[in-house]
Amino acid sequence: MTSLLRPMSRVRTQARRVPLPLALLLAVALLLSLSWGLATAPLQGPDESEHVGYVEHLAETGRLPSSTTGTGGAYAGDESAALQQGGLLRLVQNRGVRPLWSPGAEQRFRAVEDALPPDARTTGAGPTPVGVNPPLYYAFEAIGWRLTPGAGFFGKLYVLRLGSTMIFLLLVGLTWLLAGEVFGGRVVPRTVATGVVALLPMAGFMSGIVNTDIMLAAWYAAFLWLAVRTARLGLTWKRSALLSLTVALAVLTHGRGLALVPALAVALAAAWLRHRQGLWETARNAAAAAGTLLAGLLVYRLAASTAGGGGALYGGEASLNNQSSAFNIRQLLSSIWQFYLPKLDAMAPRLGPPIGYRQIFVQQYFAGVFSSFEVYFPYWVYDLVQVSVGVLVLVLYSAGLVRWRRAVAHWPAIVILTATAGCLLLFLHVASYRALLGGDNPLIVGRYLLPMTAITGVAAGAIVAALPRRVGVVVGALLLTGLLALSLGALGLNVQRFYA
Amino acid sequence: MRKRVLALVVVAFAGWFAWKALPFLRVAQPAVWETPTVSPGGPAPLQAFTAKGGQHVCIDHVDFGPQARWVQIGIQASRFPAPAIRVEARAPGYRAVSRIPAGAAAGSTPLVALRPAAHDAGDGTLCLVPEGRHTMAFMGTTLGRNSSPSTTTVDGQAIGGQISVTLLSSPAQSMGSRLGDLAAHLAGFRPVTGWEVFLLGLLVVLGAPLLVGVALARAAAQDADSARR
């Protein structure tokens, strides 16, 4: 008995060590994430049905579905039944349709599920569009799937969404650690940085559905924390290996994790420049980083070899061979310019649909667009968010100019954070440009910015830190209250769309 | 300082709640009970389905119950104003008949009251029967990705599409007055009860601003202590 109680008391002691502001923000994040999991009807998140199909196939067969081959399609038998007989497919993007919720409909679906053949859960071998994704997130979710053996499809789906909630809590915790590295002992900026992540509507929404993006955001936050910490404390082989491990985990989660590879080089260089080590030590640290990345590559190759369809993971975002002949660097730069700024006379019109900073950053990331893009705020909300973000960026820029000495003292953190954000954005723009060379899909949406969420939080914390103490607290309070209002407003719109 | 920070968050949140959330909860809107089939919109293209006078256009798997009080259908263009349409609802232990008066315009979505079932009547059928001689057209959509669990038949024969039918609890009711119903809807197909959903909603609306306020207030107090030291 005492041996049982000892670990419990250790957990209690550890829990007491969690700072109160973090514990409270974790509680808020948990409440919001659980609410998002309920307010979004099953399989109505972006590509959620395909992600669930991947998890189920991996959990039931131990194999990855293929992106190109197979005869089973993207879904197993029970998910197909949920989409067809459960009426969930017709729901996607049609605001006039509601999900079934009556006990009678639930009973009828159970009868359909019970009548499925015994191998119904193993049939979703592909082809599936998410078959190009590496397996880490799905492997994590497959554990939840396997641990709920008695539940039907909808019970298991609920557990999968709880898996995303757990990752969201990890993201919030990691942001707290990152903000601690950046702001030292100052708790208000740290709380604001973490609060922004916990309350950002898109982060909450993505944590309430089944999708790889939330895990990718967590690995980015882990990378940033370890990178800034390493730059502060100095490189060791263990820190190099850990830092590379976060990159490997991100790469094993999604193709957009590849954007962390150049950021890793910048982080290692910043840490080296800060502490200047000898040749032997540098070689040892570089070997640790390279070894970890190679191990990650090996895992990737193994995972790819179990996937059908040529053993290739990653889609158009990562494969560099297609459309290479049409690639034009001037056109790419012009495309990036026109994404953020008005077109200059000398520029040819940007490829693809007329989207830019306003649509992707403001509407789809800072404020948010929900469900499968059919739940959104009134336009005045996006106007307000755009103006607010503009003012905050201006304050941050001015604070950087006024307090440049303090900023210079923090150069490694600033370089690491901006390089990571820059690498991600450049990666997204190049991927989008390449996709537009071969078709109409711009391959860039707001949720792809989710890996930047910890950086967004730290930027908000930096604004609060740069202001006089009392003003900073007021700005922080208004910012967090505004984000909470946005989150609750978005939840209300989602409930109205699906359940009213 | 600590109390002032907490008060600022709570007052700012309460201001937003009074300014935006309360009016949102008070706006009257159709209270949907069930959408057994799909209405045209978004990815569901409009398709018209014709029926002659006296033909039975039916959909199955309709859940009638105490809250299924109104039926809404769509009328498509035809040479004449729509004839009167008889609406028949049937389920084990339940039967109700209503009538949409003649003259509904093309493109309109008439609404007709239905005597509700005393209790959940389960799996039922809803039929629309145009009266008179003329052919008329109902609004509907194609099958494929818009397919519903309900099948549309004309005189017992399945058609290659579905007519659009929505069951309402009320044509205009505020979300605020239906919080219990909404919680029950949210709990459907999930391993939670309506009460648990309701409790979570209450915790989010009342608890989250307090938790954020206390977190920030505590942080401000800690920073003030550090500054004094």
Side-chain angles (χ1 to χ4, degrees):
Chain A
M1 191 67 181
T2 42
S3 62
L4 265 176
L5 287 175
R6 207 171 296 144
M8 287 299 289
S9 73
R10 206 176 299 153
V11 169
R12 268 202 297 274
T13 315
Q14 292 288 332
R16 267 191 223 115
R17 275 194 207 155
V18 176
L20 185 66
L22 172 62
L24 296 175
L25 290 175
L26 284 171
V28 174
L30 177 65
L31 287 175
L32 288 174
S33 184
L34 290 175
S35 305
W36 274 112
L38 290 172
T40 309
L43 304 180
Q44 299 306 305
D47 307 327
E48 191 176 17
S49 48
E50 283 79 16
H51 291 298
V52 171
Y54 193 136
V55 173
E56 179 167 6
H57 190 70
L58 183 59
E60 295 291 341
T61 67
R63 295 184 63 80
L64 309 184
S66 168
S67 61
T68 52
T69 60
T71 51
Y75 319 117
D78 52 353
E79 191 179 357
S80 283
L83 287 164
Q84 300 292 341
Q85 285 100 316
L88 291 172
L89 184 60
R90 65 192 185 131
L91 200 61
V92 179
Q93 292 185 326
N94 190 338
R95 293 173 64 96
V97 188
R98 300 289 184 275
L100 303 174
W101 52 58
S102 70
E106 203 169 340
Q107 273 175 5
R108 281 200 298 277
F109 181 75
R110 280 210 195 111
V112 169
E113 219 176 0
D114 291 344
L116 289 171
D119 64 344
R121 284 187 169 162
T122 62
T123 53
T128 172
V130 295
V132 294
N133 287 350
L136 188 58
Y137 171 77
Y138 306 104
F140 167 76
E141 289 285 27
I143 297 169
W145 183 278
R146 297 291 299 180
L147 288 178
T148 47
F153 176 77
F154 286 100
K156 284 175 181 285
L157 177 60
Y158 188 76
V159 172
L160 296 190
R161 286 185 166 187
L162 290 182
S164 292
T165 296
M166 285 166 60
I167 298 170
F168 181 47
L169 297 183
L170 178 70
L171 169 64
V172 173
L174 286 165
T175 307
W176 176 266
L177 294 173
L178 167 65
E181 289 296 329
V182 175
F183 303 117
R186 297 191 61 183
V187 192
V188 169
R190 200 176 181 184
T191 304
V192 170
T194 312
V196 164
V197 175
L199 298 171
L200 194 76
M202 271 310 277
F205 164 59
M206 294 303 290
S207 76
I209 61 167
V210 181
N211 195 297
T212 50
D213 288 310
I214 196 72
M215 181 178 263
L216 192 63
W219 294 138
Y220 266 72
F223 166 79
L224 288 165
W225 168 51
L226 288 170
V228 175
R229 187 176 169 79
T230 301
R232 182 172 64 85
L233 298 174
L235 271 175
T236 63
W237 72 267
K238 278 184 188 170
R239 289 194 194 116
S240 301
L242 260 180
L243 200 52
S244 304
L245 179 66
T246 57
V247 176
L249 291 172
V251 172
L252 285 171
T253 300
H254 198 280
R256 288 189 289 279
L258 287 167
L260 270 186
V261 176
L264 170 69
V266 172
L268 291 173
W272 187 85
L273 281 171
R274 182 77 188 251
H275 296 275
R276 303 271 178 172
Q277 294 171 326
L279 189 64
W280 164 241
E281 248 181 313
T282 304
R284 201 172 59 157
N285 297 335
T292 313
L293 276 184
L294 278 175
L297 188 69
L298 197 68
V299 175
Y300 156 72
R301 290 304 308 168
L302 277 173
S305 67
T306 65
L313 294 182
Y314 304 115
E317 287 162 334
S319 59
L320 294 167
N321 50 354
N322 67 338
Q323 309 301 331
S324 54
S325 58
F327 194 97
N328 180 319
I329 191 73
R330 276 176 68 95
Q331 195 179 27
L332 169 66
L333 294 175
S334 158
S335 172
I336 295 174
W337 175 280
Q338 290 176 59
F339 185 88
Y340 296 96
L341 299 164
K343 182 174 99 61
L344 301 179
D345 288 342
M347 289 174 174
R350 191 174 181 275
L351 292 176
I355 53 167
Y357 168 78
R358 157 92 180 184
Q359 289 75 24
I360 303 299
F361 276 75
V362 177
Q363 292 182 355
Q364 296 182 15
Y365 176 64
F366 289 124
V369 173
F370 311 95
S371 186
S372 293
F373 292 97
E374 81 271 26
V375 181
Y376 42 82
F377 290 110
Y379 276 85
W380 68 264
V381 174
Y382 296 116
D383 293 341
L384 186 66
V385 169
Q386 186 165 5
V387 170
S388 306
V389 171
V391 169
L392 289 174
V393 167
L394 209 63
V395 172
L396 186 64
Y397 178 72
S398 310
L401 288 181
V402 172
R403 306 193 174 205
W404 66 272
R405 280 180 205 279
R406 226 163 92 182
V408 166
H410 284 87
W411 74 264
I414 293 170
V415 165
I416 289 165
L417 290 165
T418 47
T420 306
C423 288
L424 176 70
L425 292 178
L426 189 62
F427 184 89
L428 292 179
H429 282 303
V430 171
S432 174
Y433 169 70
R434 285 179 47 249
L436 287 170
L437 286 176
D440 296 331
N441 183 1
L443 204 68
I444 185 168
V445 287
R447 67 174 186 278
Y448 293 179
L449 300 174
L450 217 59
M452 273 181 39
T453 304
I455 301 172
T456 306
V458 170
I463 291 167
V464 168
L467 294 169
R469 198 164 58 85
R470 281 168 190 271
V471 180
V473 173
V474 171
V475 169
L478 292 177
L479 184 61
L480 294 190
T481 311
L483 282 173
L484 179 61
L486 270 182
S487 278
L488 295 190
L491 276 168
L493 291 173
N494 245 43
V495 170
Q496 182 188 39
R497 182 261 180 268
F498 288 116
Y499 295 103
Chain B
M1 182 69 176
R2 205 164 148 175
K3 281 181 184 163
R4 264 182 271 169
V5 173
L6 178 59
L8 176 63
V9 172
V10 171
V11 167
F13 181 79
W16 166 78
F17 199 84
W19 176 48
K20 282 290 162 196
L22 279 182
F24 173 74
L25 290 173
R26 282 191 192 137
V27 171
Q29 58 182 34
V32 177
W33 165 249
E34 194 191 1
T35 51
T37 52
V38 174
S39 299
L46 170 72
Q47 190 175 352
F49 294 100
T50 55
K52 291 176 191 158
Q55 279 191 319
H56 282 62
V57 182
C58 301
I59 56 170
D60 60 4
H61 296 320
V62 182
D63 286 313
F64 296 105
Q67 293 196 65
R69 293 184 182 136
W70 299 81
V71 176
Q72 187 166 38
I73 62 167
I75 306 292
Q76 257 313 96
S78 61
R79 277 171 59 203
F80 306 99
I85 301 163
R86 199 165 68 245
V87 180
E88 300 175 357
R90 283 193 308 272
Y94 169 67
R95 187 177 159 79
V97 179
S98 264
R99 195 163 177 270
I100 298 172
S108 66
T109 53
L111 197 61
V112 61
L114 199 68
R115 180 180 61 80
H119 49 82
D120 285 335
D123 199 353
T125 304
L126 184 96
C127 291
L128 307 172
V129 187
E131 296 178 345
R133 293 179 297 115
H134 295 300
T135 297
M136 66 160 295
F138 291 105
M139 216 178 258
T141 66
T142 52
L143 295 180
R145 79 183 294 277
N146 303 307
S147 290
S148 294
S150 299
T151 305
T152 301
T153 57
V154 176
D155 284 346
Q157 299 294 312
I159 58 169
Q162 55 191 327
I163 55 158
S164 302
V165 174
T166 303
L167 267 64
L168 303 176
S169 303
S170 163
Q173 197 178 0
S174 71
M175 274 174 65
S177 65
R178 304 170 55 217
L179 293 180
D181 288 343
L182 298 187
H185 295 172
L186 281 152
F189 283 79
R190 287 181 171 128
V192 290
T193 64
W195 275 109
E196 286 162 353
V197 174
F198 189 77
L199 196 67
L200 177 66
L202 216 58
L203 270 174
V204 168
V205 173
L206 299 178
L210 270 180
L211 293 174
V212 170
V214 172
L216 205 57
R218 175 68 177 240
Q222 280 179 313
D223 277 359
D225 285 350
S226 305
R228 269 196 295 275
R229 270 189 254 124

